[in-house]
Amino acid sequence: MIKLLFIKLLFFIGKTFSFILNPKLISIFGSIRKYISNGYWLRDIRSIGASSSIQPPYDKLYGLKYFEIGNKVNIGQRACLMAWDKGGTIPSVIIGDGTAIGDDFFLSCSKRIEIGREVLFGRKITIVDNSHGDNTFYQLVVPPIFRPITSKGPIYIGDRVWIGDKVTILPNVSIGEGSIVGANSVVTRDIPSYCIACGNPARVIRTIKK
């Protein structure tokens, strides 16, 4: 009897907390927190469109004055977004409308990274258009952290591309619109439109025709 009453008491407490901590209320307060956090931490960004946000907490935000983010863009938690203006270059990062990016996104730009509209990214994506030094002997004897930041070229990702989890995209490549890049791939060369590519290095395994 006592055990049954205790179980009923716990059930009542659970129902009470479910009312106080209503998921809708939690969602509302979470949204308020998200936009307040975005307003503070993204105050230096060049532009960010309507209904766009980067989910807190953030990993690292640097050089946001070189970022242009379109409308209805969502970037997941622990994002690391960096744009480097060292070495006399003016970087540029453009993210198109309706793009969705998963958690643990890493982007480093010293030249230009342009992402199209309605692109879907998985989690733990890396996009880097630069490296430390140019791999000459005279720079290899210098600690990597002190080598100049250099870029072999920009990165372009077309509209409606789907990038799987843990993909790495390296400098001087373009990915054509409508293509799919499989999980864990490393993109080191151009990928045409409307195809499926995967592997390390990524290669086209199927072309989608009308």
Side-chain angles (χ1 to χ4, degrees):
M1 185 66 178
I2 296 175
K3 182 177 180 181
L4 181 60
L5 288 174
F6 182 68
I7 291 173
K8 287 185 175 181
L9 176 62
L10 292 178
F11 184 78
F12 174 77
I13 292 172
K15 287 188 66 175
T16 303
F17 271 98
S18 71
F19 176 76
I20 298 172
L21 303 177
N22 189 288
K24 290 183 179 179
L25 290 176
I26 293 173
S27 177
I28 291 170
F29 285 119
S31 296
I32 292 171
R33 172 179 173 269
K34 176 181 68 177
Y35 284 110
I36 290 174
S37 181
N38 274 220
Y40 179 78
W41 291 106
L42 307 184
R43 61 191 180 276
D44 296 328
I45 199 165
R46 179 181 294 176
S47 65
I48 183 167
S51 301
S52 293
S53 65
I54 304 175
Q55 303 289 338
Y58 316 112
D59 185 351
K60 185 173 184 180
L61 304 174
Y62 181 83
L64 290 182
K65 63 182 179 179
Y66 302 113
F67 281 75
E68 297 178 38
I69 297 177
N71 300 315
K72 297 182 179 179
V73 172
N74 185 65
I75 300 176
Q77 297 180 339
R78 298 177 298 279
C80 181
L81 307 175
M82 299 180 292
W84 308 94
D85 55 6
K86 299 177 180 180
T89 62
I90 303 298
S92 176
V93 179
I94 299 173
I95 302 177
D97 297 344
T99 288
I101 300 172
D103 296 339
D104 303 299
F105 180 58
F106 181 93
L107 183 148
S108 176
C109 174
S110 68
K111 194 175 184 70
R112 184 177 180 86
I113 296 176
E114 184 171 343
I115 298 170
R117 297 170 179 261
E118 299 175 328
V119 178
L120 176 61
F121 290 89
R123 301 175 70 244
K124 302 181 184 298
I125 305 293
T126 296
I127 303 178
V128 180
D129 77 348
N130 58 81
S131 60
H132 289 274
D134 56 11
N135 298 330
T136 63
F137 176 79
Y138 298 101
Q139 289 193 8
L140 293 180
V141 297
V142 177
I145 193 66
F146 297 119
R147 298 173 195 165
I149 293 176
T150 60
S151 176
K152 293 183 179 179
I155 295 172
Y156 297 98
I157 300 174
D159 297 342
R160 301 179 308 282
V161 169
W162 179 13
I163 307 291
D165 289 354
K166 300 179 182 177
V167 168
T168 297
I169 301 173
L170 296 179
N172 198 32
V173 301
S174 64
I175 301 175
E177 63 177 304
S179 286
I180 300 171
V181 180
N184 299 299
S185 297
V186 179
V187 181
T188 61
R189 65 190 75 175
D190 291 351
I191 294 174
S193 300
Y194 301 107
C195 71
I196 300 173
C198 62
N200 181 8
R203 61 182 182 86
V204 175
I205 60 171
R206 182 183 175 191
T207 298
I208 310 298
K209 299 181 179 179
K210 291 183 180 180

